């Protein structure tokens, strides 16, 4: 194999190769002989397609090279070029033919010999692999090549595969040429007969005189005046080895008054031997006495010469060939067919096909052979023949007036390679599907319970998956059978087997050892006591099974049990794939277990920090927290409501950047700092946020957060007028919404968004003040309530405003529940925190739905307040 990465200039290298190719006149004549009369040969196209598929290339061609290159077969992008011609200098293939060896070009643009070709500069060919085609006379007549727009790292093994396929392509070309030549000779022979190339004879049995016409006299090598008109003159020319047979046939025709037909050799005085085919009939007189023998003869030497040549080519073919007559008897068997069929030609010639190979009866072989003979059309197929041959064969059969000709090659190894590749692809596809199922479900146990439907029938005939509960109990959570009629029986077995199976059974041993456990069915039946499980397994009748542990991080979380039908032994690669499936399921289950622990820890931490709100007189405060439905997204959202020393009610909503236990811990730290700052003094919202930002910088918390702080204030005059002031400040958070008593919804102010916390502790914080009527409701919320992957934040806020307006008449607690139900359906993509306050009228008793009052009315700005 030549790796085409040399340094010769491109045009020079190809011109030199073209000159070498054209200079060999014997090679050129051999290529011309094999050149098809018309473009298109399905067998060459199939070989091209197989080469492209096995070697991972986009295109493949079979090319013949005489003075020019002609495309004889193609696949992929080359399929449309069949029949095209091109100069040898403009091709890659001249290099392979000149060197008489495979040529591999892994990166065409970087190769000095071909990089200037327009196929390369135009991007059609980035890599090339070509193997020479060798004719039956030993001449290199062309190439089988594969090519691709992208570079390829083709190996010596790839070149070997292509060389094997090239031998098949060469054989196909030889067969096609042979058929053309054979048909040409037949046509010539028939034309010769039609043109009068037949000699006549008349033998008078009473006088013994034998009369020949001029053509027959010349055919037997006599001069007109040298033939003595006797049967002895005839016998003198018949080959001595054939004379007894010919004389016997003549005598039999005379005695039986029947027809005569015989082919024999004629030995001429020049030493040349020719073949003659004769036919005749005995004539009788009125009494039935044989009187004359009339007939005709013609020269069949050309036919026999061609038959010898055909036989020579057939014997040299690296493929099996045999021919059958109209009665399905063998008439020719070449040497390769003897080897592939494990029978000598002496054993097969004259033998009936169906007797010699009884397994072919009622098989795909018989179906295709009889169809070809019935329709007169060639056929091709791949088929398996059972022992003793025990192999796969690629077969081509074409009918003729004489019967059927069959060309075949053994492709068992190729099929095995293809089967292994297909099984490997199926296993990879199965593993990818399993991974997708496990990764795409939030419920790992439910996804694992679905595994039997994925592994059956690819890896087993039926399957049961068993899981270990958190309390250590075993449960069969899923099962499946390839036969729908058996599925109810599998369900019966799965429902009863764990209670009946001892701890030493396959499932128990796999759980304890963490290793696969193989068990024949009779051993499992012996373990089961009489009852439902025993009866169901006996009816299912498996050969045996294997229990595969679901393993992860040193733990065994369940068992995947595969069962196989009688007479079936699972392949090792299938068992390895099944264990990979089991391990992936085990890892998914363990990840789900760890996630639940982490989520419970984070959510517990967060909920422990989110305390119940105060309940001052005539002010109802309600809070909600809902963790995210996805993954470990419990994080930094928080709410708070408390009283300052002056008696003012403070409302807080915040969101720490991040979604994990670290964010939840940071949330707790910030919440505590803010509470401390706000409850140590009567600082207003802006000052509370400024103090929190400064504390975060001093403590180097290294977190970012948004927050909104609001304070309810009321003077005596405002109390008398039934209004309350809301003072609030915003550190990058969404602004609060106000639901008025009349059901209208308004923003507290245009959102200008001060810097979020953790960016600049020197940032100036602004405050806004709004006056609220009694009966109004203020809502503070985090972005998890309004954000969606499929819409922007503004659209989410608009939805929230619409929902609030629709629910304005509801009590506050129900209002929050309905808001969550409508906007996140109980399963938010991000965690959600809400804090809401409703101002009830102060000139009437506190409403019952607001709950008992635990805090006296104390509002800053009221001189009467302590």
């Amino acid at each position: 194999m030549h790796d085409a990465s040399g340094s010769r200039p491109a045009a020079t290298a190809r011109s030199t190769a073209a000159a070498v190719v054209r200079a060999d006149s014997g090679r050129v004549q051999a290529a011309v002989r094999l050149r098809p009369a018309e473009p298109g040969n399905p067998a060459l196209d199939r070989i091209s397609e197989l080469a492209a598929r096995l070697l991972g290339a986009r295109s493949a061609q079979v090319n013949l090279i005489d003075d020019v290159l002609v495309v004889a077969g193609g696949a992929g992008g080359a399929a449309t070029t069949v029949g095209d011609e091109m100069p040898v200098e403009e091709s890659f293939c001249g290099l392979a033919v000149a060197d008489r060896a495979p040529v591999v070009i892994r990166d065409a643009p970087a190769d000095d010999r071909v990089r200037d070709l327009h196929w390369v500069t135009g991007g059609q060919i980035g890599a090339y692999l070509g193997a020479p085609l060798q004719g039956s006379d030993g001449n290199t007549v062309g190439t089988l090549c594969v090519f691709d727009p992208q570079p390829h790292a083709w190996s010596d093994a790839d070149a070997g595969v292509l060389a094997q396929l090239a031998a098949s392509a060469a054989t196909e070309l030889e067969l096609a040429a042979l058929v053309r030549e054979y048909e040409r000779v037949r046509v010539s022979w028939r034309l010769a007969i039609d043109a009068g190339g037949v000699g006549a004879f008349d033998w008078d049995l009473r006088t013994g005189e034998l009369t020949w016409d001029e053509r027959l006299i010349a055919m037997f090598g006599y001069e007109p005046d040298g033939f003595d008109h006797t049967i002895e003159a005839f016998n003198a020319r018949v080959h001595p080895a054939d004379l007894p047979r010919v004389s016997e046939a003549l005598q039999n025709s005379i005695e039986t008054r029947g027809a005569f037909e015989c082919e024999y050799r004629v030995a001429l005085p020049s030493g040349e031997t020719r073949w003659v085919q004769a036919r005749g009939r005995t004539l009788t007189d009125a009494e039935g006495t044989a009187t004359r023998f009339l007939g005709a003869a013609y020269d069949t030497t050309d036919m026999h010469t061609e038959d010898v040549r055909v036989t020579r080519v057939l014997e040299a073919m690296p493929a099996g060939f045999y021919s059958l007559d109209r009665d399905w008897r063998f008439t020719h068997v070449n040497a390769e067919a003897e080897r592939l069929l494990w029978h000598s030609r002496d054993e097969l010639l004259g033998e009936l096909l169906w007797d010699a190979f009884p397994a072919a009866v009622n098989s795909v072989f018989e179906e295709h052979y009889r169809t070809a003979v019935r329709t007169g059309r060639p056929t091709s197929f791949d088929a398996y023949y059972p022992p003793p041959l025990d192999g796969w064969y690629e077969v081509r059969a074409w009918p003729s007036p004489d019967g059927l000709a069959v060309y075949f090659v053994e492709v068992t190894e190729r099929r095995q390679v293809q089967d292994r590749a297909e099984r490997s692809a199926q296993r990879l596809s199965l593993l990818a599907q399993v991974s997708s199922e496990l990764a795409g479900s939030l419920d790992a146990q439910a996804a694992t319970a679905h595994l039997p439907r994925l592994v059956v029938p690819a890896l087993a005939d039926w399957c049961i998956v068993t899981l270990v509960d958190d309390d250590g109990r075993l449960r069969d959570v899923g099962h499946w059978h390839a036969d729908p009629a058996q599925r109810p029986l599998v369900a019966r077995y799965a429902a009863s087997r764990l209670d009946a199976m001892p701890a030493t059974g396959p499932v128990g041993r796999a759980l304890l050892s963490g290793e696969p456990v193989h068990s024949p069915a009779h051993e499992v039946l012996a373990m089961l006591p009489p009852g439902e499980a025993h009866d169901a397994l006996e009816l299912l009748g498996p050969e045996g099974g294997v229990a595969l542990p679901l393993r992860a991080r040193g733990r065994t979380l369940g068992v995947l049990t595969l069962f196989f039908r009688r007479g079936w032994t699972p392949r090792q690669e299938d068992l390895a794939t099944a264990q990979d499936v089991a391990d992936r399921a085990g890892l998914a289950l363990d990840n789900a277990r760890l996630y639940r622990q982490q989520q419970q820890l984070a959510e517990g931490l967060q909920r422990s920090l989110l305390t119940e709100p105060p309940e001052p007189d005539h002010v109802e405060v309600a809070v909600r927290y809902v963790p995210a439905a996805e993954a470990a997204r419990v994080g930094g959202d928080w709410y708070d409501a408390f009283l300052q020393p002056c008696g003012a009610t403070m409302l807080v909503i915040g969101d720490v950047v991040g979604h994990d236990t670290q964010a939840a811990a940071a949330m707790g730290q910030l919440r505590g700092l803010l509470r401390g700052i706000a409850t140590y003094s009567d600082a207003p919202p802006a000052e509370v946020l400024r103090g929190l930002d400064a504390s975060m910088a001093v403590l180097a918390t290294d977190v970012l957060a948004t927050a909104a702080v609001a304070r309810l204030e009321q003077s005596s005059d405002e109390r008398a007028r039934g209004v309350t002031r809301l003072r609030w400040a915003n550190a990058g958070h969404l602004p609060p919404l106000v639901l008025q008593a009349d059901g209208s919804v308004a923003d507290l102010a245009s959102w200008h968004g001060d810097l979020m916390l953790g960016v600049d502790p020197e940032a100036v914080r602004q405050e806004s003040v709004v006056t609220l009527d009694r009966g109004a409701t203020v809502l503070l919320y985090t972005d998890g309530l309004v954000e969606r992957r499929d819409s922007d934040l503004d659209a989410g806020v608009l939805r929230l405003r619409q929902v609030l307006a629709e629910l304005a008449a509801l009590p506050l607690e129900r209002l929050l529940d309905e808001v969550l139900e409508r906007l996140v359906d109980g399963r938010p993509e991000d965690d959600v925190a809400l804090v809401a306050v409703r101002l009830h009228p102060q000139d009437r008793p506190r409403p019952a739905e607001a709950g008992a009052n635990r805090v006296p009315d104390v509002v800053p700005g009221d001189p009467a307040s302590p």
Side-chain angles (χ1 to χ4, degrees):
M1 180 177 72
H2 295 275
D3 189 338
S5 57
S7 59
R8 290 181 294 173
T12 302
R14 297 195 304 277
S15 297
T16 301
V20 171
V21 167
R22 293 193 182 100
D24 188 348
S25 60
R27 190 208 64 76
V28 172
Q29 290 176 1
V32 170
R33 179 177 64 83
L34 296 179
R35 187 167 183 169
E38 296 179 358
N41 185 323
L44 296 178
D45 294 342
R46 284 198 306 274
I47 292 173
S48 300
E49 182 181 2
L50 179 61
R53 188 168 69 248
L54 290 178
L55 296 174
R58 185 173 296 178
S59 304
Q61 282 181 347
V62 176
N63 302 309
L64 282 169
I65 299 179
D66 39 46
D67 288 326
V68 296
L69 180 147
V70 60
V71 181
T80 59
T81 66
V82 174
D84 290 353
E85 296 183 3
M86 72 176 69
V88 180
E89 294 87 346
E90 296 180 13
S91 74
F92 292 67
C93 298
L95 301 172
V97 174
D99 291 341
R100 298 173 64 89
V103 169
V104 57
I105 297 175
R106 297 184 176 90
D107 189 354
D111 188 272
D112 290 336
R113 290 189 283 183
V114 298
R115 64 186 179 189
D116 64 328
L117 283 172
H118 68 278
W119 315 106
V120 178
T121 58
Q124 293 98 323
I125 299 181
Y128 167 91
L129 178 62
L133 302 178
Q134 188 170 16
S136 60
D137 54 5
N139 282 299
T140 301
V141 295
T143 62
L144 170 63
C145 65
V146 296
F147 48 92
D148 197 89
Q150 301 300 321
H152 270 261
W154 280 312
S155 64
D156 290 355
D158 294 330
V161 170
L162 191 64
Q164 291 180 355
L165 294 174
S168 297
T171 300
E172 181 58 41
L173 287 166
E174 289 283 358
L175 278 172
L178 193 59
V179 169
R180 292 195 300 273
E181 182 67 14
Y182 200 81
E183 287 302 314
R184 183 191 67 77
V185 172
R186 280 184 175 275
V187 170
S188 299
W189 173 66
R190 291 191 182 98
L191 288 174
I193 293 176
D194 293 341
V198 178
F201 59 83
D202 183 354
W203 185 19
D204 190 328
L205 299 178
R206 291 170 299 185
T207 65
E209 182 180 8
L210 178 60
T211 303
W212 285 353
D213 64 9
E214 293 180 359
R215 186 171 287 107
L216 204 58
I217 291 173
M219 193 182 301
F220 277 75
Y222 286 105
E223 294 296 330
D225 56 358
F227 176 56
D228 64 5
H229 299 278
T230 65
I231 192 64
E232 286 74 17
F234 167 75
N235 292 340
R237 289 290 192 262
V238 175
H239 194 285
D242 296 342
L243 182 57
R245 174 172 58 84
V246 175
S247 298
E248 181 182 356
L250 278 171
Q251 188 62 36
N252 182 64
S253 174
I254 294 170
E255 291 176 355
T256 62
R257 282 56 167 173
F260 166 81
E261 181 174 356
C262 191
E263 188 175 29
Y264 48 86
R265 288 168 290 177
V266 174
L268 301 179
S270 64
E272 181 184 3
T273 300
R274 302 193 68 80
W275 282 88
V276 173
Q277 175 77 39
R279 293 182 181 179
R281 179 173 293 276
T282 300
L283 302 181
T284 63
D285 58 15
E287 288 76 24
T289 303
T291 58
R292 297 177 67 188
F293 185 78
L294 299 177
Y298 50 90
D299 193 321
T300 59
T301 304
D302 287 347
M303 291 289 294
H304 279 271
T305 301
E306 187 60 28
D307 285 345
V308 171
R309 183 175 174 276
V310 168
T311 300
R312 189 165 56 246
V313 172
L314 290 176
E315 290 300 311
M317 282 198 316
F321 176 86
Y322 59 82
S323 57
L324 305 167
D325 63 17
R326 303 291 293 184
D327 294 325
W328 303 101
R329 296 184 182 276
F330 286 93
T331 58
H332 184 91
V333 179
N334 76 347
E336 182 66 7
E338 287 185 290
R339 185 185 70 82
L340 293 176
L341 298 178
W342 292 18
H343 286 74
S344 70
R345 66 190 69 190
D346 292 337
E347 294 175 310
L348 293 176
L349 291 177
E351 184 75 8
L352 196 64
L353 170 66
W354 318 119
D355 292 342
F357 298 98
V361 178
N362 296 326
S363 72
V364 65
F365 292 94
E366 181 176 15
E367 177 186 350
H368 280 273
Y369 287 177
R370 292 191 183 276
T371 299
V373 170
R374 185 179 68 254
T375 63
R377 296 177 181 175
T379 184
S380 59
F381 58 95
D382 284 8
Y384 171 77
Y385 194 92
L389 301 186
D390 191 22
W392 278 90
Y393 298 89
E394 178 186 326
V395 183
R396 292 189 65 221
W398 59 96
S400 70
D402 300 325
L404 188 71
V406 179
Y407 151 83
F408 65 103
V409 292
E410 185 176 7
V411 293
T412 304
E413 184 176 354
R414 184 203 304 170
R415 289 289 300 224
Q416 290 172 345
V417 171
Q418 289 177 316
D419 289 346
R420 285 197 296 270
E422 289 174 3
R423 288 199 302 270
S424 178
Q426 290 171 355
R427 289 194 296 271
L428 291 175
S429 175
L430 173 61
L431 290 175
Q433 188 178 4
V434 167
S435 297
S436 176
E437 291 268 352
L438 294 172
S441 174
L442 294 175
D443 189 341
Q445 289 200 10
T448 302
H450 188 66
L451 283 183
R453 299 181 182 227
L454 301 180
V455 303
V456 172
L459 301 178
D461 293 288
W462 53 291
C463 173
I464 299 177
V465 64
T466 309
L467 296 184
V468 181
D469 285 342
D470 292 338
D471 57 4
R473 293 171 49 194
L474 298 180
R475 289 187 304 117
D476 282 337
V477 297
H479 48 78
W480 197 248
H481 199 294
D483 182 359
Q486 297 292 321
R487 289 169 192 165
L489 201 55
V490 174
R492 284 175 50 195
Y493 180 60
S496 56
R497 68 164 187 155
L498 292 179
D499 292 335
M501 186 79 67
T504 56
V507 173
R509 298 208 309 274
L511 284 171
L512 290 175
S513 67
E515 297 295 332
V517 175
H518 297 261
S519 299
H522 66 85
E523 291 185 4
V524 179
L525 282 169
M527 295 179 186
L528 294 171
E532 182 74 5
H534 185 283
D535 294 345
L537 184 60
E538 197 166 37
L539 289 172
L540 287 164
E543 179 74 26
V546 56
L548 303 169
L550 309 183
R551 304 173 298 202
R553 302 182 181 94
R555 300 166 59 92
T556 301
L557 298 100
V559 174
L560 182 71
T561 307
L562 307 180
F563 298 88
F564 310 100
R565 63 184 178 275
R566 292 194 183 279
W568 175 256
T569 300
R571 291 182 287 263
Q572 286 302 314
E573 57 265 32
D574 288 342
L575 291 179
T577 301
Q579 184 60 68
D580 198 349
V581 169
D583 288 342
R584 294 183 186 211
L587 186 61
L589 289 168
D590 200 47
N591 286 341
R593 178 185 64 84
L594 295 175
Y595 164 69
R596 287 196 304 274
Q597 291 178 351
Q598 182 184 21
Q599 186 182 42
Q600 291 167 0
L601 174 63
E603 188 175 341
L605 171 63
Q606 191 159 28
R607 289 191 182 279
S608 69
L609 296 173
L610 301 177
T611 56
E612 289 295 319
E615 296 181 0
D617 191 23
H618 292 89
V619 174
E620 181 183 359
V621 182
V623 294
R624 292 290 186 276
Y625 173 75
V626 181
E630 289 185 9
R633 292 183 62 85
V634 172
D637 288 22
W638 90 90
Y639 63 79
D640 205 354
F642 54 87
L643 300 180
Q644 287 188 294
C646 64
T649 300
M650 295 285 280
L651 306 175
V652 182
I653 196 78
D655 186 358
V656 174
V657 175
H659 299 90
D660 50 27
T661 52
Q662 185 176 358
M667 175 273 290
Q669 188 177 16
L670 297 189
R671 181 177 182 274
L673 285 172
L674 189 148
R675 269 198 162 210
I677 294 168
T679 57
Y680 175 74
S681 66
D682 289 328
E687 183 62 20
V688 169
L689 289 176
R690 190 194 66 77
L692 178 59
D693 214 359
S695 297
M696 290 169 62
V698 171
L699 297 175
T701 55
D702 194 27
V703 295
L704 297 174
T706 66
V709 178
R711 184 169 76 176
L712 297 174
E713 303 174 350
Q714 189 180 51
S715 66
S716 298
D717 177 62
E718 289 167 334
R719 182 187 182 99
R721 290 188 290 115
V723 296
T724 299
R725 275 175 292 116
L726 183 75
R727 183 183 303 274
W728 64 284
N730 187 343
H733 201 83
L734 293 169
L737 293 178
V738 175
L739 175 62
Q740 303 288 5
D742 62 2
S744 62
V745 180
D747 295 318
L748 285 184
S750 298
W751 186 77
H752 54 271
D754 290 344
L755 276 178
M756 63 192 308
L757 300 169
V759 177
D760 181 8
E762 301 298 326
V764 176
R765 300 291 175 184
Q766 305 293 326
E767 283 187 344
S768 298
V769 179
V770 64
T771 300
L772 304 175
D773 293 326
R774 307 305 291 186
T777 301
V778 180
L779 177 68
L780 288 78
Y781 56 94
T782 56
D783 56 6
L785 183 66
V786 293
E787 271 190 327
R788 295 291 180 277
R789 292 191 180 97
D790 56 354
S791 65
D792 59 26
L793 196 61
D794 290 339
V797 173
L798 179 60
R799 283 195 300 272
L800 174 59
R801 293 168 62 94
Q802 292 171 344
V803 169
L804 286 175
E806 294 173 9
L807 304 175
L810 293 180
L812 188 59
E813 296 285 347
R814 282 191 58 196
L815 173 70
L816 294 190
D817 290 338
E818 286 294 325
V819 166
L820 288 171
E821 181 66 25
R822 294 197 185 188
L823 292 184
V824 299
D825 194 23
R827 297 179 61 83
E829 297 175 3
D830 194 359
D831 47 345
V832 176
L834 303 176
V835 58
V837 60
R838 176 165 290 178
L839 305 176
H840 294 293
Q842 293 173 296
D843 57 352
R844 292 192 293 271
R846 178 181 175 90
E849 66 268 16
N853 176 32
R854 298 193 183 95
V855 181
D857 276 340
V858 181
V859 291
D862 186 349
S865 301

